[in-house]
Amino acid sequence: MIRNILGSLVALAGAASAVLSPFRDWYDGRAGRDYRVRDLFEGITATESGVLVSILLPFLFAALLVIAGVVLRSRIAVALAGLVVLGFTILWMVRQGQAAGSLTVGGDGAGVQVGVVNAAAGGVLMLLGAVLMTGRGRGRGRRGRERAAVEPYAAPPADQVDTWPPTQEPGMSTNTSPWPEPEVDPYTGPDPYDPRTRSYPQAPPPGRPGDPRDPVHPPRRPPEG
């Protein structure tokens, strides 16, 4: 998170430097906005250029790429913007050297001036911002993170016997059989045919031997009238 913020700030600073550079002097007191984009491919001339068709145009495109890359956390977009700025700056230097015979750097307003430095520094800052950014995480999406929060343990394979859910404790599993444990028969009360518990005579079911009379409370004859 911190690297993304730091990289974004560096890339945005580079974009601002690149966009402002055409408004400063580039060579012999001539501002960058006076160089046409077509002059970079056909050769530099003394013809003045409009702002929207000058070298400012590719720099504005690069600045938009940086903004999109920062919003989307795309390192590729930010790096591509830096390459665009550096590419057009180097192309200008090649064409200007061909037109002037050689490039010179002077402190008296002659030769390469601060506008070129701003453009080159802006491209370098964009590339540095792309390096600092971490981009989008490679982990699972939101749905995967929510599922991991609900089910922190993965289900064991079919060929491995384990308890569920896992206890993450060393040692053998408590369930050593792949089959379910047998259920205990529910209690249905005392056996009516057990002489220790029955209190009244009851005939045994078919196929079960036994005396239907109650040995504890034998039946009595009714009194004679």
Side-chain angles (χ1 to χ4, degrees), residues 3 12-13 15 18-19 21 57 59-60 67-68 87 89 97-99 119-120 159 169 181 188 203 205 210:
R3 288 187 58 183
L12 291 174
V19 171
S21 64
L57 183 62
F59 290 175
L60 285 175
I67 295 175
T89 303
Q98 292 175 350
D159 57 345
E169 295 181 357
E181 296 182 358
T188 57

Side-chain angles (χ1 to χ4, degrees), residues 7 10-21 26 58-59 62-63 66 75 77-90 115-131:
V10 172
L12 291 174
S17 178
V19 171
L20 293 176
S21 64
W26 277 48
F59 290 175
V66 169
R75 302 175 62 187
V78 176
L80 180 60
L83 293 177
V84 168
V85 173
L86 288 179
F88 275 90
T89 303
I90 295 174
V116 181
V117 177
N118 290 146
V124 172
L125 287 176
M126 293 179 194
L127 293 178
L128 181 60
V131 173

Side-chain angles (χ1 to χ4, degrees), residues 1-206:
M1 183 66 180
I2 298 179
R3 288 187 58 183
N4 273 329
I5 296 176
L6 181 60
S8 299
L9 293 176
V10 172
L12 291 174
S17 178
V19 171
L20 293 176
S21 64
F23 297 95
R24 310 192 71 176
D25 294 339
W26 277 48
Y27 197 82
D28 283 342
R30 188 178 181 181
R33 65 177 181 272
D34 294 333
Y35 292 96
R36 298 180 301 177
V37 175
R38 60 182 297 181
D39 291 346
L40 302 181
F41 300 95
E42 299 176 358
I44 294 178
T45 62
T47 304
E48 296 294 333
S49 172
V51 176
L52 296 180
V53 294
S54 67
I55 199 174
L56 175 65
L57 183 62
F59 290 175
L60 285 175
F61 173 74
L64 293 177
L65 273 181
V66 169
I67 295 175
V70 169
V71 172
L72 300 177
R73 289 187 296 176
S74 174
R75 302 175 62 187
I76 298 178
V78 176
L80 180 60
L83 293 177
V84 168
V85 173
L86 288 179
F88 275 90
T89 303
I90 295 174
L91 182 59
W92 173 87
M93 295 175 67
V94 172
R95 292 301 185 183
Q96 182 62 44
Q98 292 175 350
S102 63
L103 287 177
T104 60
V105 179
D108 55 352
V112 177
Q113 293 181 285
V114 68
V116 181
V117 177
N118 290 146
V124 172
L125 287 176
M126 293 179 194
L127 293 178
L128 181 60
V131 173
L132 291 176
M133 293 175 63
T134 57
R136 290 183 176 272
R138 298 182 179 180
R140 292 169 293 185
R142 181 179 178 182
R143 183 177 299 179
R145 291 193 298 268
E146 292 178 353
R147 184 176 181 182
V150 176
E151 299 179 4
Y153 306 108
D159 57 345
Q160 295 183 6
V161 180
D162 197 356
T163 58
W164 184 256
T167 58
Q168 292 187 342
E169 295 181 357
M172 296 295 294
S173 171
T174 58
N175 184 10
T176 58
S177 174
W179 307 106
E181 296 182 358
E183 297 182 358
V184 180
D185 293 336
Y187 177 73
T188 57
D191 187 2
Y193 303 104
D194 190 349
R196 294 173 301 176
T197 58
R198 67 187 184 186
S199 58
Y200 55 91
Q202 186 174 359

